[in-house]
Amino acid sequence: MKKLIVIFTAFISALILTPAVMANDDSHGDGKLDPKEIIFEHLGDGYGWEVPFNHHKRIPLPVIVFGSDGLHIFSSSHITGGKEYIDGNTTFKLAGKDSDFKGKVIEIVDGKEVRPFDISITKNVCGIFIAVMIVIGLMLWLRSFIKKHGYKAPRKGLGFLELLVDFIYDSVIKSTLGKKSAKFAPYLLTVFFFIFVMNLLGLIVIFPGGANLTGNIAVTLVLAVLTFMVTNLFATRHYWKEIFWPEVPLWLKFPLPIMPAIEIFGMFTKPAALTVRLFANMMGGHMIVIVLTLLIFIFAAVSPVAGGATTVISVLFSIFMLLIDVLVSFIQAYVFTMLSTIFISLAQVEEEHHAEEAHKNELKITTQSE
Amino acid sequence: MELFTPDFGLIFWMFVAFAVLFFVLWKFAWPVILKNVDSRADLIDKGVEYAQNAKLQLDNARQQAEEYVAEARRQQADMMRDADRIKTQIIEEARSAAQVEAQKVMDSAKVQIQQQQKEAEKQFRNQVSEFALDIAEKVVKNQMADKQAQTKLVNSLLDEIESKN
């Protein structure tokens, strides 16, 4: 206990003193702080991956663009820091702050900036590949354990992994989809683990993590579109009938297809909701932590004392927020999987079931009237 | 807002990455893992069912065993009672048989004694008569010559003796 108090006091005093020390050290940049710039830089994508504790060095990543004269592949180190890169007859550079394509690779054609067709391996793409490898590694690990030990329950980390599989498979997929769960379980479980690993990777600040993956709308959009495709491609005939000819009074669907229009609109709001929910939740968490950290610098610019006080509060809040984000990472992966399962199951309605129910209701009504 | 405009390159790579991930897991991982999860659930269900059956059977067996024990006790008591009865019966029979035998022996002994007595009496009478005749002969020889008169006298004497007896 005494040791803990000593460590804690040392930690707090270090936090208080840091801004004071940093204020004296004027070697960094021009000293002007642009919080908006920093926030968007951290949340957004980038060519190259920051090295911990150094803002100028980046791990170079390949840039792949189809310019006006074909395919170009070069290292991102050629264009960082405002440099222009000439590959053959084409000139590439990173768009400046005032450009429409801020921070993206652009091609200069006749003095004008043109955005080429860009499929570069950016920081986020690289992060996605790392997440894919981690998920594949984890699942093959579990598979090899099962192959080797059969029914035996795994312990420790692998036990947790199996618990997660069991939890999602049993209480989300099986309880909603029933007999059809075998058909959709591979997709849904893949989605869950992919999102969960990407969420957690986003919370790690240094190299293998640090990319704001699920807080990027492109990533969540792809996942939602996949769920949309799975939902509608495997849908039953009854599902389509419910959309185009639902059981409502005729005037709601005949001359003016009011209900079908609403139903079709509903088809597309579901993936939109999935996209935005995951994206906004994860991005929000990241943004709060960055803002809390930036508060230190904003207050330190005012006075070192205020900076010291803010440091303590900010760091404690950041730790708290990061812990909450771990929980949110799981919850959002779970919610995405659960909603995907529900959307898929809604598209698996069968005629017999409804007819039976309607018949039952009819019987009830007749018996009541008698 | 750059945050809300999806980047095409990222969408493309995300799609490719997901496709690869899904294919690998669908081909290698999920069949094995899900089969294991399912069959383990089945195994557990079966185990519970088996245990319930076993408990039921055990309860039945216990009840049956109790019934057997009670039955055995009852039989034992019956047998004890029977044995007791048979014992007394045997003793009783033996006693009566012994009595009958003893009676027989005694009866035959009595008859024999009576016979021997009669024989002895007969012998004794013969001898007495012989002795008497001898004595009388001697006495009469001396006193009487006439044999006829003598015999007459003797017989009357003998009758006298006999009637005395």
Side-chain angles (χ1 to χ4, degrees):
Chain A
M1 195 62 209
K2 225 175 186 179
K3 243 185 200 171
L4 272 179
I5 291 171
V6 170
I7 290 170
F8 191 69
T9 321
F11 179 63
I12 297 278
S13 39
L15 287 183
I16 293 172
L17 291 175
T18 320
V21 173
M22 278 176 68
N24 291 332
D25 179 16
D26 260 344
S27 58
H28 283 292
D30 51 2
K32 213 176 149 232
L33 195 70
D34 186 359
K36 196 180 158 226
E37 193 60 38
I38 295 171
I39 290 171
F40 283 112
E41 194 199 329
H42 276 86
L43 289 180
D45 206 349
Y47 302 91
W49 205 314
E50 298 92 340
V51 174
F53 309 115
N54 188 328
H55 233 74
H56 302 296
K57 277 190 189 142
R58 278 158 192 264
I59 302 167
L61 295 169
V63 174
I64 305 168
V65 287
F66 291 93
S68 51
D69 61 344
L71 177 69
H72 294 272
I73 302 173
F74 51 94
S75 162
S76 69
S77 61
H78 290 303
I79 51 168
T80 46
K83 281 184 285 186
E84 287 189 3
Y85 176 67
I86 300 167
D87 189 25
N89 299 322
T90 354
T91 313
F92 294 102
K93 64 177 255 184
L94 278 178
K97 272 184 192 176
D98 308 319
S99 163
D100 292 342
F101 314 110
K102 195 175 83 183
K104 305 282 184 202
V105 171
I106 47 164
E107 186 186 347
I108 297 172
V109 184
D110 304 332
K112 271 197 266 176
E113 292 179 349
V114 175
R115 180 96 167 93
F117 186 75
D118 181 5
I119 50 166
S120 308
I121 307 295
T122 58
K123 183 176 144 190
N124 278 354
V125 173
C126 192
I128 289 168
F129 290 164
I130 291 169
V132 165
M133 282 189 283
I134 290 174
V135 175
I136 288 178
L138 284 175
M139 288 308 152
L140 291 186
W141 183 28
L142 183 57
R143 174 186 185 267
S144 72
F145 179 90
I146 289 167
K147 284 265 177 190
K148 213 184 278 173
H149 299 283
Y151 285 121
K152 260 192 205 164
R155 301 278 185 263
K156 292 179 183 168
L158 209 51
F160 179 66
L161 193 63
E162 214 210 7
L163 176 88
L164 274 181
V165 175
D166 209 31
F167 172 66
I168 297 298
Y169 183 55
D170 235 36
S171 63
V172 178
I173 299 172
K174 259 189 170 175
S175 64
T176 313
L177 280 169
K179 271 184 238 157
K180 288 182 176 168
S181 46
K183 192 169 159 191
F184 298 105
Y187 169 70
L188 293 165
L189 282 167
T190 308
V191 164
F192 174 79
F193 282 99
F194 194 27
I195 294 176
F196 189 41
V197 168
M198 284 198 294
N199 285 352
L200 290 180
L201 273 179
L203 296 181
I204 301 169
V205 214
I206 54 168
F207 168 63
N212 179 24
L213 295 174
T214 37
N216 189 304
I217 202 158
V219 173
T220 58
L221 183 71
V222 170
L223 290 167
V225 166
L226 285 169
T227 293
F228 177 78
M229 276 160 56
V230 171
T231 306
N232 290 292
L233 289 180
F234 293 95
T236 54
R237 270 174 58 193
H238 192 68
Y239 167 78
W240 293 113
K241 194 202 148 245
E242 293 262 282
I243 284 175
F244 290 111
W245 201 252
E247 287 169 28
V248 287
L250 190 67
W251 61 272
L252 275 174
K253 55 188 175 183
F254 178 49
L256 271 175
I258 300 170
M259 279 308 282
I262 291 171
E263 292 280 357
I264 289 168
F265 185 67
M267 269 170 68
F268 292 97
T269 52
K270 284 170 187 167
L274 279 182
T275 310
V276 175
R277 180 180 290 106
L278 181 58
F279 156 70
N281 270 294
M282 294 318 294
M283 196 199 62
H286 286 240
M287 203 182 253
I288 289 170
V289 174
I290 296 172
V291 168
L292 281 170
T293 315
L294 279 176
L295 273 183
I296 300 167
F297 297 98
I298 292 168
F299 277 94
V302 177
S303 85
V305 181
T310 325
T311 311
V312 178
I313 297 163
S314 282
V315 168
L316 291 181
F317 264 102
S318 298
I319 292 170
F320 175 70
M321 278 312 298
L322 280 169
L323 290 178
I324 294 231
D325 276 347
V326 173
L327 187 65
V328 169
S329 294
F330 173 76
I331 291 172
Q332 287 308 320
Y334 174 71
V335 165
F336 193 99
T337 314
M338 192 183 66
L339 288 176
S340 294
T341 316
I342 289 169
F343 294 157
I344 290 171
S345 79
L346 286 178
Q348 296 295 318
V349 280
E350 296 290 344
E351 187 97 44
E352 295 85 42
H353 184 63
H354 273 249
E356 222 168 73
E357 228 168 36
H359 184 61
K360 231 182 251 170
N361 286 340
E362 226 167 76
L363 276 181
K364 220 181 265 171
I365 290 160
T366 44
T367 45
Q368 271 169 0
S369 61
E370 275 165 10
Chain B
M1 282 288 273
E2 65 191 75
L3 279 180
F4 297 98
T5 45
D7 186 55
F8 177 78
L10 193 52
I11 290 181
F12 170 76
W13 284 115
M14 175 67 190
F15 199 83
V16 170
F18 189 88
V20 170
L21 173 68
F22 179 71
F23 179 77
V24 172
L25 293 188
W26 173 74
K27 186 89 186 163
F28 299 107
W30 296 132
V32 177
I33 293 170
L34 293 185
K35 200 179 142 231
N36 188 54
V37 168
D38 275 341
S39 56
R40 185 187 290 164
D42 283 351
L43 190 76
I44 290 167
D45 284 353
K46 265 183 210 155
V48 169
E49 203 177 314
Y50 181 82
Q52 276 172 341
N53 280 344
K55 192 182 171 294
L56 212 67
Q57 277 175 351
L58 190 69
D59 286 352
N60 280 348
R62 191 171 291 148
Q63 207 179 346
Q64 225 159 22
E66 271 165 16
E67 272 168 23
Y68 282 145
V69 168
E71 177 71 26
R73 288 233 172 85
R74 209 163 49 242
Q75 279 182 354
Q76 190 197 18
D78 280 358
M79 276 158 77
M80 294 276 269
R81 216 163 34 242
D82 279 359
D84 216 36
R85 210 185 62 230
I86 290 167
K87 187 183 85 181
T88 45
Q89 201 179 343
I90 287 170
I91 290 171
E92 205 60 40
E93 272 170 12
R95 185 175 288 154
S96 55
Q99 242 167 5
V100 167
E101 200 64 20
Q103 195 64 41
K104 248 188 224 162
V105 171
M106 269 168 53
D107 283 356
S108 67
K110 228 181 220 169
V111 168
Q112 229 173 347
I113 288 167
Q114 275 175 350
Q115 254 173 354
Q116 278 175 348
Q117 211 176 5
K118 259 182 197 163
E119 227 161 90
E121 267 172 19
K122 214 166 151 185
Q123 246 177 350
F124 183 64
R125 189 178 153 161
N126 286 347
Q127 261 180 344
V128 166
S129 69
E130 250 174 57
F131 284 146
L133 278 175
D134 282 352
I135 296 164
E137 213 177 48
K138 277 172 187 166
V139 171
V140 169
K141 231 176 223 178
N142 293 335
Q143 286 178 352
M144 286 181 194
D146 186 8
K147 209 161 181 178
Q148 228 171 10
Q150 288 165 355
T151 311
K152 211 177 177 180
L153 183 70
V154 167
N155 272 342
S156 70
L157 282 172
L158 276 174
D159 286 342
E160 228 174 291
I161 290 164
E162 217 164 320
S163 66
K164 261 180 199 169
N165 281 348

